[in-house]
Amino acid sequence: MLTVGDKLPAFNVKAVVSLEKGKEFKEINQDTYKGKWQIIFFWPKDFTFICPTEIAEFGKHDKEFQDRDAQILGVSTDSEFVHHAWRTHHADLKNLPFPMLADIKRELSSSLGVLHKEEGVALRATFIVDPEGIIRHVSANDLSVGRNVKEVVRTLDAFQTDELCPCNWQKGEETLTSKLQKAG
């Protein structure tokens, strides 16, 4: 698995970006959101039980990510047509404000190292990538446990301070850097 400090690898995939006829699909690559923070999260399979809870939760927090100049990219190894069908038929996914990337050739999930060894689908992996394309955070869960989107927001907030942030730090709280400056 790629890790903190690694460069986001090149990729080019189709994505579902809308349910509006004629505007459903778009090509997305590593430069589409260049200069922005990127939150890239993977889920194992469409039409499953845990996955829509996570995807919908990321959607609910999209404004918070946008306010932080961050673009959410959701990814699975399903095709863009499966993503489209799922969005069309699942009430919680109809109005997603971020692209659902179709990594059907498993190129992005393979290059990031997030494929489950036995199942061949993506783990529940999350990457926070800075505006220069450098991975700043990685987490991965096994297939049976969903992640905490609020923690992803909190972690992004901490990175964006560019300061030392203690355990459980929340946006607006004093950082360790500011405490050290006061003490010095």
Side-chain angles (χ1 to χ4, degrees):
M1 182 180 299
L2 291 187
T3 191
V4 172
D6 290 336
K7 182 93 171 142
L8 180 67
F11 67 92
N12 188 43
V13 296
K14 288 189 166 101
V16 175
V17 296
S18 170
L19 292 180
E20 185 179 340
K21 190 141 181 85
K23 297 182 180 180
E24 301 95 325
F25 307 108
K26 179 180 176 182
E27 292 279 332
I28 300 214
N29 64 45
Q30 73 283 351
D31 294 326
T32 303
Y33 300 102
K34 191 174 186 146
K36 293 179 88 86
W37 288 84
Q38 295 178 60
I39 310 301
I40 304 172
F41 77 99
F42 290 80
W43 66 88
K45 295 179 184 178
D46 291 4
F47 293 97
T48 56
F49 303 105
I50 298 170
C51 299
T53 66
E54 294 183 302
I55 297 165
E57 191 67 17
F58 271 103
K60 289 175 189 171
H61 290 276
D62 184 68
K63 180 165 179 6
E64 293 173 69
F65 287 110
Q66 293 296 328
D67 289 347
R68 290 156 173 83
D69 200 29
Q71 176 63 49
I72 301 170
L73 300 172
V75 189
S76 86
T77 56
D78 294 288
S79 77
E80 68 273 21
F81 302 110
V82 174
H83 286 339
H84 186 272
W86 197 26
R87 280 188 62 172
T88 300
H89 292 60
H90 196 296
D92 293 338
L93 306 180
K94 282 186 187 277
N95 297 311
L96 281 181
F98 58 83
M100 294 175 82
L101 280 60
D103 188 25
I104 195 161
K105 294 182 193 174
R106 292 166 166 70
E107 292 171 355
L108 182 55
S109 50
S110 290
S111 64
L112 286 169
V114 299
L115 285 177
H116 189 279
K117 290 179 181 174
E118 286 88 38
E119 299 293 325
V121 297
L123 296 168
R124 296 184 191 287
T126 307
F127 293 82
I128 297 178
V129 180
D130 73 17
E132 287 76 45
I134 303 301
I135 298 169
R136 301 288 299 275
H137 169 84
V138 179
S139 67
N141 294 1
D142 203 344
L143 304 178
S144 63
V145 176
R147 71 204 102 199
N148 183 327
V149 177
K150 289 179 184 175
E151 176 59 12
V152 178
V153 174
R154 188 199 74 80
T155 304
L156 175 62
D157 283 339
F159 282 122
Q160 289 184 338
T161 69
D162 205 25
E163 296 184 18
L164 300 173
C165 295
C167 176
N168 299 324
W169 177 89
Q170 296 290 321
K171 187 174 185 171
E173 293 179 353
E174 192 172 34
T175 64
L176 293 177
T177 305
S178 58
K179 285 181 181 181
L180 290 170
Q181 289 170 343
K182 286 179 185 177

